[in-house]
Amino acid sequence: MAIHIETPALASRAYSLRSGKDVRFKMEALQPSGSFKARGIGHACQIYKSRGARRFISSSGGNAGYAVAYAGRMLATPVIVVVPATTSERARSLIRSEGAEVIVHGASWMEANARALELMTAADAFLHPFDDPLLWDGHATMIDELARQGGRPDLVICSVGGGGLLCGVVEGLRRNGWADVPVIAAETAGADSYAQALRAGAPVLLPEITSIATSLGARQVCGRALELAQEHPIESVVVSDAAAVAACEDVLLEHRILVEPACGVSVAALDSDSEFLRNARSVAVILCGGVGVTAAQLAQWRAQFAAQPL
Ligand SMILES: *Cc1c(COP(=O)(O)O)cnc(C)c1O
């Protein structure tokens, strides 16, 4: 039995009218853990458990750590999430609400991650937030579902942080006979580690993340995501934080669903000047979700970006 749930592919009348294309949202925001991460992490946890793991360890205070906590509860397996002091009280309590133990250690993720690795014993499995083929295999199930839910899109749009979602989407397209369906890989300026790596033709380590889209805040993408750009039609699109926030507001208005800017960025990409987009009649947007947002936080971002052009 899968840890994730099957999500609807919602035909969006509002976005179809405004873009002149058939726009479908794959509603990953509806996963019980609030994001698509339930798929890959749920799958990886199941496999690790079948191989004998008796505890899961994560160092993500974001959607990945929350997904590990959720998967642990589903699989009746203890979870430890080590987070830095900067992790919000809300994120900590969400993770605890799934029955996981939260250990606060260090000032940055690097220190928390080092502590998490120190805790590892032979009975533990470490869950990486994006760089694990088991995760990609699990994420790919969203495309398996899409194939049953109304057929082949001309284009898929997804967000890129560390690139795990992108790897899963491409794997899903391939295994459903859609290896020719192009993908727009969307990021915010200030978290654009994929765009920069594509330009350089090699992995790029961003000196810092300056975007508010913290779920996209991997300073370096996984090697596989870069490789895939040689094997699959992938176009990188970078939008501003302001545009990502505006898209979150639009999605809330049109569909009454609250998502992170890390997800809004993929919706904002519908307005980009992209060759793939011009050639597409039907578009599937992965509405990847995220629990790192509240109505109050969205209002605060709106005020922060009110004066800025999109
Ligand atoms: C993790 C995450 C991303 C980025 O996924 P990667 O696999 O790191 O590229 C985007 N949006 C949300 C809401 C996420 O949780």
Side-chain angles (χ1 to χ4, degrees), residues 128 130-131 161-163 191 193-194 197 202-206 209 216-223 226:
H128 193 280
F130 56 83
D131 197 0
S193 45
Y194 193 49
V204 170
L205 179 67
L206 298 184
I209 300 296
L216 303 185
R219 287 170 58 207
Q220 185 171 330
V221 295
C222 62
L226 261 187

Side-chain angles (χ1 to χ4, degrees), residues 38-238:
R39 293 185 187 267
I41 285 178
H43 177 66
C45 285
Q46 272 181 315
I47 300 284
Y48 289 134
K49 183 168 179 154
S50 75
R51 291 179 188 166
R54 291 199 298 274
R55 191 169 67 164
F56 303 136
I57 295 186
S58 165
S59 58
S60 159
N63 295 308
Y66 185 41
V68 177
Y70 167 71
R73 182 167 63 83
M74 290 293 116
L75 294 167
T77 301
V79 173
I80 293 181
V81 183
V82 186
V83 299
T86 48
T87 302
S88 72
E89 197 45 59
R90 180 176 156 74
R92 296 179 202 182
S93 76
L94 267 177
I95 294 168
R96 285 195 193 103
S97 75
E98 295 289 351
E101 179 183 354
V102 175
I103 296 177
V104 181
H105 182 90
S108 74
W109 173 81
M110 294 251 288
E111 292 158 72
N113 189 56
R115 181 80 192 112
L117 293 175
E118 276 169 18
L119 292 175
M120 292 284 297
T121 71
D124 296 319
F126 184 80
L127 277 299
H128 193 280
F130 56 83
D131 197 0
D132 181 345
L134 290 176
L135 247 71
W136 311 335
D137 196 17
H139 293 338
T141 57
M142 71 181 75
I143 306 295
D144 300 339
E145 288 171 20
L146 205 59
R148 300 195 296 269
Q149 291 171 321
R152 184 187 190 281
D154 297 330
L155 172 65
V156 176
I157 304 180
C158 73
S159 306
V160 179
L165 174 57
L166 176 65
C167 290
V169 164
V170 172
E171 179 175 328
L173 291 172
R174 287 175 161 183
R175 75 189 188 194
N176 285 281
W178 291 348
D180 58 333
V181 173
V183 178
I184 286 182
E187 297 172 293
T188 46
D192 52 341
S193 45
Y194 193 49
Q196 293 203 24
L198 289 179
R199 266 201 305 279
V204 170
L205 179 67
L206 298 184
E208 61 174 337
I209 300 296
T210 55
S211 169
I212 56 152
T214 49
S215 293
L216 303 185
R219 287 170 58 207
Q220 185 171 330
V221 295
C222 62
R224 183 70 190 129
L226 261 187
E227 260 172 41
L228 278 178
Q230 308 295 322
E231 303 171 15
H232 195 91
I234 296 175
E235 185 181 343
S236 159
V237 165
V238 177

